[in-house]
């Protein structure tokens, strides 16, 4: 595990001023744009009174999670610009924003997983089950997601940090401990990859089977085929967005756990990579409003309209 016993204790200025601005200004800009995007999503949904629908509750909560991620990312970016060396050596000032950032990311992951499961249940309901996701179910999921995210994200504030203990301190995300980062990152990133992969693949497979049924009934399938293609493209985009956003962070945690070198030996390449992973995560907060609030809603309306193409139960296509 990491530690600094063999490293120089002379923690003087490390970051180059121009490099700090080159990394910090784009980070601030992305966070500000993301805050504006997600505030727009929240206000729009509240203004249209669309929150009586279960999926709308999940969409709105996703925007809230992304808003907190962007806000805490903005806070971290400001700390980085004003005092970049504390993001290397760690301090008490970094503990709260890092914990809030972790909490928000975890909440976003749980929301993405919940939305994928809800979409799958909505599509599969007419085939294998009569279970429907109700408004109370969505509220319960939102509550449980935030409780779990706050508990896991705030563990460093409750004592699981390495402000005093350097034998297990993270080189990339000080003052977090390496074992805490592994504990948080490995299972949650795996969930972010695997559950949406399963749910959206199942949605595509179900739609394909229904298209074959419609063809067997001699019904026109041009409109359905177009909707099916759009579902597939959106599903792939959702999964790729999660992959691009969280895979670099997971790679950074794995490197952190295996690393035995000092800060000065890792500067600047590894720390530039660390900052870029933060920007990629924030880009997810920009992509989510577009993919989930706009595209999935349009897909839901489009597939709903396809009901009229069905002649009987065997050819029913359900709705997303």
């Amino acid at each position: 595990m990491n530690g600094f016993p063999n490293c120089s204790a002379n923690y003087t200025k490390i970051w180059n001023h121009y490099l700090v601005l080159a990394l910090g200004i784009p980070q601030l800009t992305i966070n500000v744009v993301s805050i504006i995007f997600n505030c727009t999503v929240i206000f729009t949904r509240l203004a249209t009174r669309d929150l009586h629908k279960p999926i709308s509750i999940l969409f709105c909560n996703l925007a809230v999670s992304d808003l907190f991620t962007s806000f805490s990312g903005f806070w971290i970016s400001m700390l980085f610009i004003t005092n970049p060396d504390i993001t290397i050596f760690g301090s008490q000032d970094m503990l709260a924003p890092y914990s809030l950032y972790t909490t928000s990311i975890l909440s976003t992951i749980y929301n993405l997983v919940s939305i994928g499961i809800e979409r799958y249940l909505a599509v599969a309901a007419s085939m294998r089950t009569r279970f429907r996701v109700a408004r109370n179910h969505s509220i319960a999921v939102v509550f449980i997601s935030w409780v779990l995210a706050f508990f896991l994200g705030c563990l460093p504030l409750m004592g699981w940090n390495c402000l005093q203990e350097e034998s297990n301190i993270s080189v990339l995300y000080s003052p977090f401990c390496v074992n805490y980062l592994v504990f948080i990152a490995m299972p949650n990133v795996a969930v972010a990859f695997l559950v949406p992969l399963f749910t959206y693949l199942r949605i595509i497979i179900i739609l394909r089977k229904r298209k074959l049924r419609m063809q067997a009934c001699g019904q026109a399938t041009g409109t359905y085929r177009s909707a099916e293609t759009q579902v597939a493209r959106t599903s792939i985009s959702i999964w790729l967005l999660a992959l691009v956003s969280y895979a670099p962070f997971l790679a950074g945690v794995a490197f952190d756990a295996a690393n035995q070198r000092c800060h000065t030996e890792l500067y600047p390449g590894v720390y530039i990579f660390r900052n870029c992973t933060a920007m990629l995560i924030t880009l997810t907060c920009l992509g989510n409003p577009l993919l989930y609030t706009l595209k999935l809603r349009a897909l839901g309306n489009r597939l709903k309209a396809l009901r009229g193409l069905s002649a009987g139960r065997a050819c029913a296509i359900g709705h997303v």
Side-chain angles (χ1 to χ4, degrees):
M1 291 296 182
N2 290 317
F4 308 146
N6 297 323
C7 299
S8 172
N10 185 21
Y11 296 162
T12 56
K13 295 285 184 180
I14 289 183
W15 282 97
N16 177 277
H17 177 69
Y18 297 103
L19 181 58
V20 169
L21 292 179
L23 292 172
I25 291 177
Q27 285 181 264
L28 281 177
T29 303
I30 294 173
N31 281 295
V32 170
V33 174
S34 179
I35 289 172
I36 295 173
F37 268 48
N38 286 287
C39 283
T40 302
V41 171
I42 295 170
F43 291 144
T44 300
R45 290 202 168 272
L46 291 176
T48 56
R49 297 182 180 179
D50 200 27
L51 291 179
H52 64 281
K53 297 180 181 179
I55 191 61
S56 294
I57 295 175
L58 297 179
F59 283 157
C60 191
N61 189 54
L62 177 62
V64 172
S65 299
D66 288 338
L67 178 63
F68 276 105
T69 301
S70 303
F71 173 75
S72 55
F74 179 86
W75 186 2
I76 293 171
S77 299
M78 288 298 298
L79 290 174
F80 173 71
I81 292 176
T82 55
N83 189 4
D85 289 324
I86 66 171
T87 65
I88 292 182
F89 303 116
S91 74
Q92 185 70 42
D93 295 335
M94 296 301 298
L95 202 54
Y98 271 176
S99 295
L100 178 59
Y101 191 63
T102 304
T103 298
S104 304
I105 292 174
L106 292 176
S107 180
T108 296
I109 290 175
Y110 300 150
N111 271 282
L112 296 179
V113 170
S114 300
I115 290 172
I117 294 174
E118 194 279 341
R119 296 290 81 187
Y120 168 70
L121 291 175
V123 173
S126 63
M127 292 188 65
R128 298 191 302 181
T129 178
R130 289 295 177 184
F131 177 78
R132 301 281 182 173
V133 177
R135 185 172 181 269
N136 290 339
H137 297 141
S138 294
I139 294 175
V141 167
V142 168
F143 176 76
I144 293 172
S145 296
W146 275 108
V147 169
L148 183 60
F150 266 112
F151 173 74
L152 295 177
C154 293
L155 284 176
L157 290 176
M158 291 184 273
W160 194 355
N161 61 71
C162 288
L163 284 171
Q164 305 298 328
E165 177 189 357
E166 293 190 345
S167 61
N168 192 40
I169 193 169
S170 168
V171 173
L172 293 183
Y173 303 100
S174 176
F176 281 177
C177 299
V178 173
N179 52 16
Y180 169 75
L181 290 172
V182 172
F183 171 75
I184 290 296
M186 297 298 180
N188 286 289
V189 173
V191 166
F193 291 159
L194 298 179
V195 175
L197 178 63
F198 169 78
T199 54
Y200 289 111
L201 277 179
R202 288 295 301 160
I203 289 173
I204 294 172
I205 292 172
I206 290 171
L207 294 179
R208 180 63 57 87
K209 289 180 178 179
R210 292 178 180 177
K211 182 183 71 173
L212 294 176
R213 289 185 180 183
M214 293 180 65
Q215 289 177 334
C217 294
Q219 296 183 359
T221 59
T223 305
Y224 192 90
R225 188 181 299 110
S226 174
E228 180 194 16
T229 301
Q230 191 177 359
V231 170
R233 288 176 179 174
T234 304
S235 301
I236 293 172
S237 299
I238 289 170
W239 192 80
L240 288 178
L241 181 63
L243 180 66
V244 171
S245 302
Y246 299 118
F249 172 72
L250 183 62
V253 172
F255 172 84
D256 208 1
N259 173 60
Q260 297 294 330
R261 290 181 289 173
C262 300
H263 308 88
T264 53
E265 296 175 318
L266 299 176
Y267 177 86
V270 173
Y271 289 103
I272 292 176
F273 173 80
R274 180 201 65 181
N275 283 42
C276 288
T277 60
M279 283 190 273
L280 288 174
I281 291 175
T282 308
L283 285 175
T284 305
C285 301
L286 283 173
N288 285 338
L290 299 177
L291 282 173
Y292 287 90
T293 303
L294 299 180
K295 281 197 172 184
L296 282 190
R297 184 175 182 180
L299 287 175
N301 293 334
R302 189 167 186 180
L303 290 178
K304 203 180 214 179
L306 291 176
R307 264 187 178 183
L309 298 176
S310 301
R313 185 180 179 85
C315 299
I317 60 174
H319 68 284
V320 176

